[in-house]
Amino acid sequence: MPTLILVRHGRSTANTEGVLAGWTPGVALDERGTAQAAALPGRLADLPLCEVVVSPLQRCQETVRPLLDARPDLTAHDEERIGECHYGDWSGRKLAELSDEPLMEVVQAHPTAAVFPGGESMRAMQHRAAEAVREWNARVERDHGPDAVYLMCSHGDIIKSLIADALGLHLDLFQRISVEPCSVTAIRYTRLRPFLVRLGDTGDFASLAPRATPPADDAPVGGGAGAP
């Protein structure tokens, strides 16, 4: 079965403003995110990508644009099922104010019980994304063979949930996974089980250096802004 390259979108204006974007329209890459997207074709130059599947949201579309420009033979397919979690009434709100919501503790410690007001459950988010991957795996293998490599550009919580699915990890533990903006994760699927062969690779270790303000103990909902 194919190898899936999961790319989180580059850093967005919502990331730097500390806003939970969700499906809010008009959320673009910021200056750093644009540079991250521009570097993506070089980072992936050695991979014989056969398809690109992308969330319909603007920040993901902008992330793959340089790659598609560099490889005009690639076809991009919009896929709503790998779009961001539907955060409902939380969309567009500051993460700092959301930290006081009782639901945030559930999102952090027991996400299988978390349902966003006016939005979807985290279980539903993972299910739709995992179903999309399984269907695309079958389609890519049918059209390009079992050794094909294809790319999906999606969002932090979606990618973390797909990694958990590949590892057989309960969704309640998925907040232990971190994927930074424009990071590359690779999952090689086989007939019986997937193998996680890269996790959150940015090629940059700056985010591991000690910070003036230590990172919070909680996982950043939506994925966080990455290295300062």
Side-chain angles (χ1 to χ4, degrees), residues 86-164:
H86 291 277
Y87 296 117
D89 297 342
W90 280 24
S91 299
R93 292 180 61 187
K94 289 279 190 179
L95 288 165
E97 69 179 47
L98 289 171
S99 65
D100 295 328
E101 295 278 357
L103 178 61
M104 182 60 83
E105 187 176 14
V106 182
V107 170
Q108 293 293 327
H110 190 21
T112 52
V115 182
F116 293 99
E120 70 179 330
S121 69
M122 300 199 90
R123 295 189 316 278
M125 173 198 76
Q126 183 188 45
H127 177 74
R128 63 173 165 85
E131 285 300 298
V133 166
R134 285 166 173 76
E135 290 180 21
W136 276 100
N137 281 349
R139 176 173 172 175
V140 167
E141 181 173 14
R142 181 197 69 205
D143 294 345
H144 302 282
D147 297 322
V149 180
Y150 75 107
L151 181 145
M152 278 187 172
C153 183
S154 186
H155 307 265
D157 282 348
I158 295 288
I159 293 173
K160 288 162 56 177
S161 75
L162 290 172
I163 294 167

Side-chain angles (χ1 to χ4, degrees), residues 47-98:
L47 290 179
L49 298 173
C50 64
E51 303 278 4
V52 171
V53 184
V54 58
S55 159
L57 294 174
Q58 179 178 339
R59 52 199 183 273
C60 288
Q61 298 282 329
E62 290 178 351
T63 299
V64 300
R65 178 49 52 196
L67 177 65
L68 297 172
D69 289 344
R71 300 201 196 186
D73 56 311
L74 277 178
T75 301
H77 309 270
D78 288 357
E79 174 57 82
E80 287 204 5
R81 291 175 295 175
I82 62 166
E84 182 61 286
C85 184
H86 291 277
Y87 296 117
D89 297 342
W90 280 24
S91 299
R93 292 180 61 187
K94 289 279 190 179
L95 288 165
E97 69 179 47
L98 289 171

